[in-house]
Amino acid sequence: MANFTLNINGKQQTVDVDPATPMLWVLRDHLNLVGTKYGCGIAQCGACTIHLGDVAMRSCMLPVSQVGNQAVTTIEGLSENGDHPVQQAWLEHDVAQCGYCQSGQIMNAAALLKANPKPSDAEIEGAMNGNICRCATYVRIKAAIKTAAG
Amino acid sequence: MTTSNSRRTFLKNSVLASGGMVIGVNWLTGCKNASSEAALTMPKEWFNFNAYLKIGENGVVTIFTPNPEFGQNVMTSMPMVVAEELDVDWRNVLVEMAPFDAVKYPPAIFGQFTGGSRGIMSKWEPLRNAGAAARHMLKEAAAQAWQVPASEITTSAGVLKHEKSGKSAGYGEMAAAAAKIPVPVKPTLKEIKDFKLISQSQKNVRGKEIVTGKPMFGVDYKVDGMLIAMIAQPPAFGMKLKTFDGSAAKAMPGIKDVFSIKTYNDGYEKGGFDVNAFPELVAIVGNSTWEVMQAKKALTIEWEPIAAYSETVNGWGGKQVVNVPAGLENSDDHAAKMAALAAKPGRVVRRNGDPEAAFKKAAKVIERSYSCPYLAHNCMEPMNFFADVKGDKVKVAGPLQIPGFIEPTLAARMGIPVENIEIEMTRMGGGFGRRSYSHYLVEAALISQKMNAPVKLMYTREDDMTNGVYRPAYHAVYRAALDENNNLLAFHVKAGGIPESPLHADRFPAGAIDNYLAEDWKIESNITIGAFRAPRSNFIAGAEQSFLDELAEAMGKDPIEFRLELLKRAKENPVGERNDYDAARYAGVLELVRDKSGWGKTPVAAGVSRGVAAYFCHASYAAHVLDLTMENGKPVVQKVTSAIDCGIVVNPDAAANMTEGAVTDGIGNALYGEMTFKAGAAEKANFDKYRMIRMSEAPKAIDVHFVKNEIAPTGMGEPPFPPIFGALANALYKATGKRVYRQPFLGEREVMG
């Protein structure tokens, strides 16, 4: 066990955990930030996507010891009032069915648009291919990303 | 109008805080209105009208959704039906998930059953009656207060009005008095033409919570002092626990205990949904998920083969003896066994005319075989449940589709009466049938009981995928007899599977062909199977619709025209008496999809190949036209045009979303979906091996159309799923010149051929 001080959603938070603990479980079990979801544990489904700096990361395989003081953003911290353009576009297109994967989809899409504000269809597909939606709302996810891109 | 006595209790708004507390946040998120746009002022007092709604003194209405939500959007559509008949402003409505209550939501209305596309279908009348009854009571209360005839009072958007006297009042003002009015047994319902809310698309009432990551799923459930549990299960079907040594695991950091649990009492007569291959498990309990995951790896467990056994299962079809063979099964053996049985005569389920004689005199016989593998449900949220057992009281909360079917199992196993069981249904991260089999709820309760503490049981993805209640492997042989002029003389289907047949003998094209024979067969297995989005239909539709396409081609007919000709026969002069579909509605979706896709009229763009298919299941009708191109040997679905007849569509945009999902899900499973077994073990345990459809493989566009009619709603979640398999197969044939007979059409391969 060891202490780690993390910069999460703009707040300093200290946790005492095994250094190998993935950020996913630090967020969910220790910091009560449960918007980040467990889906596979092997970085194959994208449900656990968070931002490290501006980059989308799969938190299920990211040991807490590797995070250091990099800024971590989770779905809870993406915007103050749930009004990030990607979140708004998700509501406009009423994307969700079960909704379980959507935190990860939104975090991945937000990182994509930060890096590439006007992605082509192929670029959207390429960036989003790591995020599984079992309800298969892909058509709406893509439409929402295009709306958010303006 | 007749009346009955009602419970006239009213509750203080403390009800709002009675849900499980999660991380200090109100689990019920009860302060947002139905349109998810703004907060409502909470009333000081609530007045209960019935199992579906209560009204506050300030006019705010809470509507309870009886059925658990797994993405079919009943949290929005069911309250819409109540709100319509209540005649209340949708912006003044709060929505809550009702807890499990077998008295309020009895089996006669299908209880609180999410499955079989029965949600809106089974609750349409109860939901309408609930809203209409409350509206009636409000009008009666106003009539008494104003001393005017109730028949002269009108309602609109939550306001009662008496035109002649100029009197008006909000629902909230009359709620206290109205809640004391006797409940009408058969309240007057609105005319369908007067609907204002139904058929007007409303946004998902939980949309904002979803996009902001609010706790709402079973995995998010948390209470103070809660422990995390995981289970270790046999590595293969046909195996069971022999001995285990948990001492090394128990010595690891954060681990509280390691022990075994037995999900059923010896001799317990299972219900039809007590499907469970692994009734004895090793449980590991500790402080946090990661610690328990690590400790699980340190368990030493010895497994042993099961012996063959028989058990009586008391399911829907009555009591049935199920034989479970011993042995470690292999997918290769399954395929060989299915082919062998398919070559033998089956059990005749339906016969019309003299099919044997017709085949004998045929000028041409077309025979084709189709097969599909097992499928894993792979809900994004793995199986999990919260349990808090205190003495003879049990509180459980989590994702499940049919609380009413697990409650007796839980009560029997814990040895406590059902009155002492509280079941809370959380939003499910997908279901697709898998969460109808909620053995994990009992497991969680047993672990909590042993620990004497609240526990959340978590399955890993690997546990979830390898302890499946899979879609079975199926096989079907279709034969058609043609005369020298290519007229259809006879039709024969023989279908089976492991361990059940996918045959629906009385569906189309039964009823449309004079000489018709349907047979089935099955093979026993110890691999557990269960409902998977449109059970049986999800295979047989694709096989049948592929065969009809091939048949139409052999007969020199357009595939839609061919189907319409058969349906005309079925409508005007049906063969046999047990035809369980409405030929006119079936033809209706084919005509609609033909028109909307421009089938046969609009020239198809260069390089685009089209396929069509239609199907009837869950009381609804669906047809798809699928356009694809081949790019470097890969099929790219450019567009799917869908026509659905599910009666009145309560929330059209949400129904379109579900259709889009069903279409994409179907394409994914048709192209890639496959679970295989070797020595009893599921060979794929996670998404690195189990291929799921991803965004780049989804259709580029899906255009959904609904038949407009005034038929009470029929199924919606499942019907669009089965026929897409056929539409894809038929388009692939057009594109490649080769018919596909075996699912998955691509599997792990990247290119066709």
Side-chain angles (χ1 to χ4, degrees), chain B residues 375-674:
Chain B
L375 293 176
H377 293 81
N378 294 343
C379 305
M380 289 310 292
E381 179 192 20
M383 300 306 117
N384 69 89
F385 231 83
F386 167 86
D388 190 7
V389 179
K390 288 197 176 86
D392 66 349
K393 294 262 193 312
V394 177
K395 160 79 192 255
V396 287
L400 82 171
Q401 291 179 226
I402 321 179
F405 286 1
I406 196 69
E407 190 192 48
T409 310
L410 179 65
R413 180 63 185 88
M414 309 299 286
I416 57 160
V418 292
E419 294 78 36
N420 288 9
I421 295 175
E422 183 190 347
I423 303 178
E424 182 182 341
M425 287 93 84
T426 58
R427 190 179 187 89
M428 290 176 264
F432 308 99
R434 177 62 181 87
R435 287 189 229 270
S436 307
Y437 313 94
S438 45
H439 50 85
Y440 46 87
L441 177 159
V442 182
E443 293 157 18
L446 289 168
I447 297 168
S448 171
Q449 185 180 47
K450 175 82 177 11
M451 297 305 296
N452 195 26
V455 163
K456 182 166 63 185
L457 169 66
M458 292 279 298
Y459 274 39
T460 62
R461 172 58 58 197
E462 289 81 3
D463 296 334
D464 183 290
M465 206 180 280
T466 59
N467 182 359
V469 182
Y470 304 99
R471 193 285 299 270
Y474 293 125
H475 186 285
V477 180
Y478 281 89
R479 294 166 72 224
L482 302 180
D483 69 11
E484 57 279 3
N485 297 318
N486 282 330
N487 293 310
L488 180 59
L489 298 176
F491 191 91
H492 176 200
V493 52
K494 182 163 49 175
I498 310 171
E500 62 163 27
S501 169
L503 183 70
H504 286 286
D506 297 326
R507 287 188 185 163
F508 182 77
I513 299 162
D514 287 308
N515 300 300
Y516 175 91
L517 177 63
E519 299 174 86
D520 71 5
W521 51 266
K522 56 189 179 182
I523 295 169
E524 288 170 353
S525 167
N526 58 35
I527 297 170
T528 40
I529 64 100
F532 182 111
R533 194 174 207 167
R536 300 175 290 284
S537 306
N538 59 35
F539 165 70
I540 204 78
E544 170 205 295
Q545 292 291 308
S546 298
F547 187 68
L548 290 180
D549 201 70
E550 201 161 344
L551 196 49
E553 188 184 31
M555 295 167 72
K557 294 185 176 189
D558 172 82
I560 293 184
E561 281 309 310
F562 173 54
R563 287 170 174 82
L564 291 175
E565 281 173 23
L566 290 172
L567 288 161
K568 187 164 184 280
R569 169 68 201 276
K571 187 180 167 217
E572 292 174 355
N573 182 22
V575 180
E577 283 164 5
R578 291 183 314 188
N579 306 318
D580 63 3
Y581 61 97
D582 180 328
R585 287 180 78 185
Y586 200 132
V589 290
L590 276 163
E591 286 160 356
L592 184 62
V593 86
R594 178 188 62 192
D595 297 346
K596 295 296 182 183
S597 67
W599 180 272
K601 284 192 180 152
T602 317
V604 177
V608 173
S609 303
R610 310 195 102 173
V612 65
Y615 201 65
F616 157 81
C617 67
H618 300 89
S620 287
Y621 302 80
H624 304 294
V625 167
L626 183 147
D627 296 354
L628 63 77
T629 54
M630 296 300 290
E631 293 175 16
N632 303 318
K634 278 187 197 180
V636 178
V637 179
Q638 298 295 341
K639 187 177 180 183
V640 176
T641 308
S642 302
I644 315 290
D645 180 351
C646 59
I648 294 166
V649 184
V650 174
N651 196 7
D653 188 51
N657 191 349
M658 188 127 54
T659 304
E660 294 159 19
V663 161
T664 309
D665 181 12
I667 292 169
N669 278 301
L671 287 176
Y672 317 119
E674 180 172 37

Side-chain angles (χ1 to χ4, degrees), chain B residues 95-413:
Chain B
V95 169
E96 285 180 22
M97 180 69 230
F100 174 65
D101 189 327
V103 177
K104 280 183 175 174
Y105 315 102
I109 57 164
F110 252 82
Q112 291 167 282
F113 184 124
T114 282
S117 295
R118 288 173 187 272
I120 295 288
M121 207 184 339
S122 65
K123 298 297 182 304
W124 177 244
E125 281 189 26
L127 292 165
R128 291 185 74 188
N129 283 333
R135 182 162 160 263
H136 166 85
M137 291 154 75
L138 288 159
K139 282 165 77 170
E140 287 291 333
Q144 287 175 19
W146 298 336
Q147 292 296 302
V148 299
S151 59
E152 291 180 4
I153 293 173
T154 59
T155 59
S156 177
V159 177
L160 296 142
K161 255 189 199 152
H162 184 249
E163 196 82 26
K164 283 185 197 162
S165 64
K167 288 194 164 127
S168 76
Y171 282 3
E173 296 168 62
M174 291 294 168
K180 293 175 189 152
I181 300 282
V183 178
V185 171
K186 275 184 85 85
T188 309
L189 300 176
K190 280 187 180 178
E191 299 278 333
I192 287 165
K193 66 175 172 49
D194 294 330
F195 284 169
K196 293 177 203 151
L197 188 59
I198 287 172
S199 298
Q200 303 300 315
S201 294
Q202 302 299 326
K203 300 281 193 208
N204 187 329
V205 297
R206 292 291 181 263
K208 188 72 181 273
E209 285 85 350
I210 289 169
V211 303
T212 53
K214 293 285 185 294
M216 51 173 64
F217 298 96
V219 294
D220 303 338
Y221 211 94
K222 193 174 275 193
V223 299
D224 288 343
M226 185 182 82
L227 300 171
I228 299 290
M230 287 196 174
I231 46 95
Q233 62 198 14
F237 290 90
M239 301 288 281
K240 64 179 174 122
L241 180 65
K242 187 180 179 192
T243 59
F244 72 98
D245 177 0
S247 55
K250 204 172 164 181
M252 289 175 69
I255 302 306
K256 298 279 190 190
D257 207 352
V258 177
F259 50 90
S260 65
I261 54 169
K262 270 177 80 175
T263 309
Y264 309 104
N265 295 327
D266 290 337
Y268 176 66
E269 185 181 271
K270 289 181 178 175
F273 287 79
D274 287 325
V275 177
N276 184 358
F278 305 135
E280 195 168 4
L281 303 161
V282 177
I284 315 102
V285 189
N287 292 329
S288 73
T289 315
W290 181 247
E291 288 169 321
V292 176
M293 272 182 176
Q294 301 315 300
K296 189 176 162 181
K297 295 177 194 160
L299 291 172
T300 307
I301 308 179
E302 219 179 307
W303 311 98
E304 63 183 345
I306 62 164
Y309 63 97
S310 292
E311 60 184 0
T312 306
V313 175
N314 192 2
W316 258 337
K319 288 192 187 184
Q320 221 184 340
V321 175
V322 177
N323 298 316
V324 181
L328 305 177
E329 300 178 22
N330 295 296
S331 291
D332 290 346
D333 297 344
H334 283 164
K337 276 186 181 173
M338 290 205 294
L341 266 190
K344 292 179 186 168
R347 179 183 71 134
V348 175
V349 182
R350 174 167 170 151
R351 186 202 304 272
N352 296 111
D354 191 346
E356 290 83 356
F359 273 98
K360 260 186 202 147
K361 69 174 186 189
K364 192 197 285 181
V365 171
I366 301 174
E367 177 176 324
R368 299 290 182 264
S369 295
Y370 302 83
S371 67
C372 70
Y374 286 86
L375 293 176
H377 293 81
N378 294 343
C379 305
M380 289 310 292
E381 179 192 20
M383 300 306 117
N384 69 89
F385 231 83
F386 167 86
D388 190 7
V389 179
K390 288 197 176 86
D392 66 349
K393 294 262 193 312
V394 177
K395 160 79 192 255
V396 287
L400 82 171
Q401 291 179 226
I402 321 179
F405 286 1
I406 196 69
E407 190 192 48
T409 310
L410 179 65
R413 180 63 185 88

Side-chain angles (χ1 to χ4, degrees), chain A residues 22 28-29 32 35 37-40 44 81 87 92 94-95 97-98 100 125 129 132 134-135 138 140, chain B residues 23 203-204 211 213 219-220 222 289 377 380 427 460-461 653 657 660-661 665 686 693-694 696 700:
Chain A
R28 292 188 57 84
D29 282 358
N32 290 336
K37 293 292 190 271
Y38 167 67
C40 68
Q44 292 291 314
N81 302 308
Q87 290 168 313
E92 186 184 328
D94 220 5
V95 170
Q97 287 188 29
C98 88
Y100 190 81
E125 289 173 11
N129 240 23
I132 297 172
R134 176 65 183 83
C135 304
Y138 297 119
R140 285 182 189 234
Chain B
I23 318 161
K203 300 281 193 208
N204 187 329
V211 303
V219 294
D220 303 338
K222 193 174 275 193
T289 315
H377 293 81
M380 289 310 292
R427 190 179 187 89
T460 62
R461 172 58 58 197
D653 188 51
N657 191 349
E660 294 159 19
D665 181 12
N686 209 322
I693 192 166
R694 291 170 185 269
S696 65
K700 304 301 171 198

